[in-house]
Amino acid sequence: MKITQHALAEAWQHTAARHPLLHEVELPPVTVSEDEFEEWAERADEVPDAGLLLLVEDGAVHGRFGPHQEVSVTRDLGQVMYLIAEAAMRLRCGSLEEAAEALEEIDPVWGRRFRGGALDDTGTVEPCGQDPLEGLAWIAGPWREQSPYTTLAFFRAEPGRPVDPERLALLYGADPAQVAAGTRLKDLRGENEGRTYWDRQWESCCYGQAGGWTYLLHHETPVGAFADKDAYAALGITESVWLTATSAKAIYTFDYVRDGRRVDDDRGALELIWYERGYAPYPRGGELDFLNRSLRRAELDHPELTNTFELQFHALETSLGLRLPRQDFADEVVRVAYWAGT
């Protein structure tokens, strides 16, 4: 169905008339050109509680929720009706749980959809049922200050074929003698009462396996790191996730590469700082929508988490399986090595 301004207005009139919670909800501003849409978007940037903006183009509806970078594109009129109701309930309700209950009252399907975080009925996402700070989210706080490392990189091969963490560390330039010796963090921190490690930690890396991924944590890498592309290919890596913190500039980036291609909805470098609780940071229905859905579940399952970085890291764990062994770091038994030649 090709959606028009008239079709939108008529459909919303019928939708709003069916339930008291929607009686006073007006159809959001509807534009028919990019220029007009951008004018409304600029105005929305100045209004903290700006509502959904809609652009009708080529029979599809493009949506943006105020200044929060939430974008959706759909040709499904029913999905547009849901998006309008979802935006209205989020603005009116004091919490996401209240918004979920309100949408459920309007339509049980809409309630399930909101809790699942998707635009369609893709099934119910099971509640987490565990402490998120025991998985990956525990590191979100210190990582923002570049501790223990600036870059958190994760690598995965085909199922049943793990990426060898020692080979990966060596490929990036880890000291072969320390890798062979199985050097642990407590070993380096035990030298010279920890003063040597304090001075040289920027020249080190940390590596291991958790959650089906091999991780390699580091600050700057030495010249020539990852120089042998054939050796890298021999590791069989099919997926990688890169999280980088530049605390002095308050920039925190996320890159997900699968089968040699960056998964990013054609938006380029992604900054985690864009995310605000209750708003999808990635295009709805896009390549990264699985993270939107995991974030919604994290928000509903863990209202005690007020740090949005912890929520995002927990979503990375539940959607991709990323983990870091918190107790191993606490006990200083994670594998570490200085870069060779430093």
Side-chain angles (χ1 to χ4, degrees):
M1 173 184 176
K2 184 176 181 178
I3 302 176
T4 64
Q5 283 182 296
H6 175 74
L8 273 177
E10 189 174 66
W12 182 248
Q13 182 179 10
H14 291 158
T15 300
R18 288 204 301 265
H19 200 282
L21 285 175
L22 299 177
H23 285 177
E24 297 180 4
V25 177
E26 297 181 358
L27 181 70
V30 180
T31 63
V32 292
S33 72
E34 287 284 354
D35 290 341
E36 189 181 2
F37 184 71
E38 287 302 319
E39 288 178 13
W40 273 102
E42 288 176 9
R43 253 179 276 175
D45 285 341
E46 303 169 2
V47 182
D49 292 331
L52 190 69
L53 307 176
L54 301 175
L55 166 66
V56 179
E57 188 177 58
D58 298 327
V61 177
H62 302 247
R64 171 177 172 175
F65 194 83
H68 298 292
Q69 305 299 325
E70 178 178 7
V71 177
S72 60
V73 181
T74 180
R75 294 179 180 274
D76 186 318
L77 192 55
Q79 288 185 358
V80 181
M81 297 300 101
Y82 167 75
L83 282 169
I84 297 172
E86 180 192 70
M89 293 306 105
R90 282 191 304 191
L91 287 175
R92 290 186 176 192
C93 298
S95 69
L96 291 184
E97 184 60 39
E98 290 175 3
E101 291 172 356
L103 287 164
E104 197 165 43
E105 184 179 337
I106 296 168
D107 187 329
V109 172
W110 283 6
R112 291 195 299 271
R113 187 177 298 181
F114 182 79
R115 291 181 186 279
L119 279 184
D120 52 21
D121 305 317
T122 54
T124 303
V125 180
E126 293 299 322
C128 172
Q130 52 187 300
D131 182 353
L133 298 183
E134 291 301 322
L136 181 67
W138 69 271
I139 204 171
W143 172 77
R144 289 187 63 187
E145 302 301 323
Q146 297 177 285
S147 176
Y149 290 94
T150 302
T151 299
L152 313 179
F154 301 83
F155 305 85
R156 185 162 65 178
E158 297 175 357
R161 184 187 175 188
V163 176
D164 188 316
E166 292 188 355
R167 289 175 61 192
L168 182 68
L170 290 170
L171 186 60
Y172 270 79
D175 186 307
Q178 291 180 334
V179 171
T183 301
R184 308 284 174 173
L185 180 57
K186 62 182 180 181
D187 299 326
L188 296 188
R189 284 188 169 166
E191 296 176 354
N192 194 23
E193 297 181 346
R195 288 192 291 273
T196 300
Y197 181 72
W198 176 260
D199 292 336
R200 297 190 61 190
Q201 60 182 314
W202 284 82
E203 302 171 356
S204 71
C205 67
C206 171
Y207 59 95
Q209 290 180 327
W213 293 79
T214 293
Y215 58 85
L216 179 71
L217 317 183
H218 58 81
H219 292 294
E220 297 179 0
T221 55
V223 176
F226 177 41
D228 191 334
K229 297 186 183 299
D230 290 336
Y232 186 86
L235 293 174
I237 295 169
T238 58
E239 291 178 274
S240 60
V241 176
W242 300 79
L243 297 157
T244 305
T246 308
S247 61
K249 298 180 180 179
I251 296 175
Y252 315 99
T253 61
F254 161 68
D255 281 295
Y256 176 36
V257 178
R258 185 173 61 211
D259 296 326
R261 176 183 169 277
R262 176 187 276 176
V263 180
D264 62 359
D265 293 306
D266 297 322
R267 294 175 65 179
L270 302 171
E271 293 186 24
L272 295 180
I273 202 167
W274 284 356
Y275 169 68
E276 293 186 36
R277 192 183 186 107
Y279 300 95
Y282 307 111
R284 307 287 288 273
E287 291 184 310
L288 293 170
D289 198 32
F290 68 91
L291 279 175
N292 293 332
R293 297 196 297 271
S294 294
L295 271 170
R296 178 63 52 75
R297 283 307 330 173
E299 292 167 342
L300 291 169
D301 291 343
H302 303 290
E304 75 281 4
L305 293 185
T306 58
N307 184 312
T308 57
F309 283 86
E310 290 177 348
L311 287 167
Q312 290 178 91
F313 274 54
H314 185 51
L316 287 169
E317 178 187 350
T318 57
S319 60
L320 291 173
L322 302 184
R323 294 182 66 88
L324 284 173
R326 183 179 190 178
Q327 194 59 49
D328 287 356
F329 277 87
D331 295 339
E332 300 186 351
V333 296
V334 288
R335 298 280 298 275
V336 296
Y338 292 124
W339 297 128
T342 59

